[in-house]
């Protein structure tokens, strides 16, 4: 019998598409795209990708059309609150927080707006594409304000006279700046999340999900990690260990024919900057080499 295949929903085209493909490629998944471009067939792992709108991903997973989904926490949280308002529970489970798709749902006010804290929102009209999260924010602070739900282009709502304040996703802040809006408070910190179906998976599928999770953990650990090699006088070891950023126990090897010098090899879980190398050199290190780490399995 054929091995059962896992269905994984990913954004078809948007901000999460490229980082999702990159993550899956780093996890070893190779896929070919079907002629309709809606499905990617895993060639070397039993995973098929469904390319969809990000807003459809929570329901595709909780209704068990897909086993897994990659989507922003902002989309998940909004859907969870929307379902709660309908008296329904959300049924997808989060498996991993991912280190991409970072942004925040933030409140921003036009230049000259008298902001003195959330209470300044009382009686104002706030434009957003995330009404449920905004309503929760207002309710938690006992603020009465009018929520204007838009399907996009929130940042131009004040200029069009449709709202006084906006509540929108922000990453660099340059869109807000271009529209003369000032960020004043955060409603939600967001990042991409891997979610799974509420239904139990058959053993073969469950095993592949576990393997994927181990690989994702490996990929996330490796990002930013470096392998550093250097030579140093044995007497400087304590200082050198202190200077190595985010490293646990380094390997120390005796150098052939020189009794007081050693080679130090270590994985640093942070980036190694020029300043660190300069400090290491000052502490007596030489022959410094910094290498990228490709894979890691704890
Ligand atoms: O078509 P589909 O429905 O699938 O896509 P979409 O248009 O709804 O979503 P998309 O591709 O814009 O974003 C997908 C997900 O990326 C979001 O749900 C977030 O989880 C995440 N994300 C990360 C962002 C941003 N960063 C972001 N900057 N989503 C939107 N933005 C917007 C922001 O609102 C602003 O308009 O991008 C613009 C640029 O932001 P600044 O702050 O860098 O100027
Ligand atoms: Zn969307």
């Amino acid at each position: 019998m054929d091995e059962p295949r896992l269905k994984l929903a990913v954004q078809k085209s948007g901000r999460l598409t490229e980082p999702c493909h990159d993550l899956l490629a780093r996890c070893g998944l190779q896929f070919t795209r079907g002629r309709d471009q809606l499905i990617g067939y895993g060639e070397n792992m039993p995973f098929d990708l469904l390319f969809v709108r990000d807003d459809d991903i929570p329901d595709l997973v909780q209704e068990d059309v897909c086993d897994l989904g990659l989507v922003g926490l902002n989309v998940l949280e909004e859907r969870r609150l929307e379902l709660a308002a309908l008296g329904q529970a959300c049924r997808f489970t989060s498996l991993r927080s991912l280190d991409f798709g970072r942004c925040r749902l933030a409140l921003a006010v036009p230049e000259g707006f008298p902001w003195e804290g959330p209470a300044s929102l009382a009686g104002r009209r706030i434009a957003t594409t995330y009404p449920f999260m905004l309503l929760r924010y207002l309710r938690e602070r006992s603020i009465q304000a009018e929520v204007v739900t838009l399907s996009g282009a929130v940042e131009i709502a004040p200029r069009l006279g449709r709202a006084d304040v906006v509540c929108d996703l922000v990453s660099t802040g340059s869109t807000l700046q271009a529209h003369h809006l000032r960020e004043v408070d955060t409603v939600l910190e967001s990042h991409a999340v891997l979610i799974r179906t509420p239904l139990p998976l058959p053993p073969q599928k469950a095993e592949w999900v576990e393997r994927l999770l181990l690989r994702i953990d490996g990929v996330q650990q490796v990002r930013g990690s470096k392998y550093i090699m250097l030579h140093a006088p044995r007497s400087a070891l304590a200082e050198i260990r202190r200077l190595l950023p985010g490293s646990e126990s380094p390997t120390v090897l005796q150098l052939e024919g020189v009794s007081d010098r050693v080679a130090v090899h270590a994985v640093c879980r942070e980036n190694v900057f020029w300043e660190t190398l300069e400090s290491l050199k000052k502490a007596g290190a030489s022959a410094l080499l910094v290498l990228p780490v490709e894979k890691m399995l704890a």
Side-chain angles (χ1 to χ4, degrees):
M1 204 182 78
D2 282 349
E3 188 171 21
R5 300 183 67 80
L6 281 142
K7 280 203 221 81
L8 169 60
V10 294
Q11 192 185 22
K12 183 168 193 258
S13 108
R15 288 189 171 78
L16 297 181
T17 306
E18 205 231 73
C20 283
H21 288 198
D22 178 65
L23 174 70
L24 295 171
R26 284 172 194 270
C27 288
L29 179 67
Q30 291 163 2
F31 64 89
T32 44
R33 258 179 129 132
R35 205 175 317 146
D36 56 8
Q37 301 283 305
L38 296 177
I39 298 182
Y41 299 96
E43 290 172 354
N44 56 341
M45 288 161 67
F47 284 86
D48 291 330
L49 306 182
L50 246 76
F51 303 113
V52 295
R53 296 268 323 255
D54 67 344
D55 318 73
D56 295 333
I57 295 177
D59 283 0
L60 285 171
V61 173
Q62 75 163 1
E63 285 160 16
D64 200 41
V65 179
C66 292
D67 306 289
L68 301 170
L70 282 164
V71 64
L73 179 64
N74 51 309
V75 172
L76 289 176
E77 197 53 15
E78 184 69 6
R79 183 65 181 138
R80 191 177 70 75
L81 295 175
E82 188 178 359
L83 286 169
L86 295 167
Q88 295 173 26
C90 82
R91 294 178 301 117
F92 44 76
T93 314
S94 297
L95 291 177
R96 283 295 182 279
S97 291
L98 303 168
D99 57 5
F100 58 85
R102 286 189 189 284
C103 58
R104 52 202 180 274
L105 183 64
L107 285 156
V109 298
E111 276 166 10
F113 183 100
W115 174 263
E116 286 170 5
S120 307
L121 297 170
R124 303 290 192 159
R125 293 164 305 156
I126 314 172
T128 190
T129 48
Y130 293 90
F132 290 94
M133 277 194 274
L134 175 57
L135 281 167
R136 178 178 61 180
Y137 172 98
L138 295 171
R139 203 170 43 241
E140 282 173 359
R141 290 161 181 77
S142 309
I143 295 165
Q144 304 279 340
E146 188 189 335
V147 173
V148 180
T149 305
L150 303 178
S151 57
V154 168
E155 63 278 0
I156 60 167
R159 222 177 333 138
L160 297 179
R162 296 187 74 183
D164 308 301
V165 177
V166 303
C167 174
D168 200 8
L169 293 178
V170 183
S171 56
T172 62
S174 56
T175 302
L176 290 183
Q177 213 180 357
H179 291 86
H180 307 286
L181 295 164
R182 180 166 64 95
E183 193 175 340
V184 288
D185 204 3
T186 303
V187 175
L188 179 88
E189 289 282 355
S190 186
H191 48 76
V193 180
L194 175 70
I195 56 169
R196 62 156 281 169
T197 160
L199 297 187
L201 294 169
Q204 270 176 311
K205 278 190 172 184
E207 204 176 293
W208 266 107
V209 171
E210 282 310 310
R211 284 178 77 174
L212 180 69
L213 290 179
L214 276 178
R215 292 182 188 191
I216 289 177
D217 293 344
V219 169
Q220 300 212 113
Q221 272 182 22
V222 156
R223 277 204 243 262
S225 293
K226 297 285 175 230
Y227 194 77
I228 181 163
M229 304 198 285
L230 55 88
H231 291 179
R234 195 173 269 286
S235 58
L237 263 182
E239 174 66 358
I240 281 175
R241 283 187 68 162
R242 198 184 61 76
L243 290 169
L244 287 175
S247 80
E248 281 137 35
S249 40
T251 307
V252 179
L253 306 161
Q254 182 62 54
L255 284 178
E256 189 66 30
V258 234
S259 61
D260 61 339
R261 281 187 82 77
V262 289
V264 178
H265 291 193
V267 174
C268 295
R269 300 202 183 238
E270 296 163 31
N271 225 329
V272 180
F273 297 104
W274 280 110
E275 289 75 11
T276 311
L277 293 184
E278 285 158 6
S279 307
L280 286 164
K281 201 164 165 55
K282 240 186 229 152
S286 60
L288 292 130
L289 206 56
V290 180
L291 307 168
V293 178
E294 195 177 290
K295 291 192 177 68
M296 206 187 274
L297 202 60

